[in-house]
Amino acid sequence: MGSSWLGLVLALAAAGHPQSHSSSRVVVEGRALRLELRCQAAALIEAVGHDVDGDGTLAPIELAAARTDVERYIARSYRLLAVDQAGDARSVELELVALSQAALSEVSSEEPWVDVVLRGEAGNAPVALRAELSLFRERNPLHRDVATVEWAGEAPRVFVTGPDVAAWTFEPASRRRPGVLTGFARLGWEHILSLIHI
């Protein structure tokens, strides 16, 4: 069973282009969220098409024609969920605000890349953020995304999603810190109590 599953995964990966990866930046300021995604043109073409001339890149006119399909695809494949005080997670509706070819000077390879920017707004200011990604995996299940999350001026945190991890959850330091302090306090009390019983 294991070897046949691995063979299927490798066969599916071979159907897509090799070394499929992307990078993303998620910025949270109050209720406002911004998703900046940089992806390989080949991956985007596999997902939404629109490479009319078949040259493996998306020219500005092709990108303009692809706007609606790209917006739908990214919003469906890179779901951002705002978590409220009660722990409920609600999907944030994302709207495409920019779609362009990435400048070659900004990427590390000669292959064409595309920059996609979307924005959305949570109903209330979230206390945490969750992302669920299926980005480009329908053609390449080994696709990886490296996400940098910036929350209201805090130091950025990095998350990697891929075949083994399809989601990440970000909690700001102000929310994480009480849990850590409570944990240390509990350990301290347990230690003191263990000494009393000696």
Side-chain angles (χ1 to χ4, degrees), residues 131 133 137 142-147 159-168:
L133 282 77
R137 293 218 191 98
L142 301 181
H143 179 86
R144 292 189 182 277
D145 181 76
V146 178
F159 299 90
V160 178
T161 54
D164 301 323
V165 180
W168 51 258

Side-chain angles (χ1 to χ4, degrees), residues 116-138:
V116 187
V117 180
L118 301 98
R119 69 176 171 211
E121 195 168 283
N124 296 306
V127 298
L129 185 68
R130 180 171 172 81
E132 297 174 350
L133 282 77
S134 59
L135 201 62
F136 306 123
R137 293 218 191 98
E138 57 280 311

Side-chain angles (χ1 to χ4, degrees), residues 21 57 100 109 131 144 169 195:
H21 58 279
T57 188
S100 62
S109 68
R144 292 189 182 277
T169 301
L195 293 175

Side-chain angles (χ1 to χ4, degrees), residues 66-89:
R67 282 184 70 90
T68 301
D69 291 336
V70 170
E71 180 180 61
R72 284 187 192 137
Y73 177 76
I74 302 299
R76 183 180 72 241
S77 303
Y78 200 125
R79 292 186 61 224
L80 291 175
L81 298 101
V83 181
D84 63 18
Q85 286 283 1
D88 296 326

Side-chain angles (χ1 to χ4, degrees), residues 13-28:
H17 70 284
Q19 298 180 350
S20 181
H21 58 279
S22 58
S23 64
S24 54
R25 177 175 175 250
V26 179
V27 181
V28 182

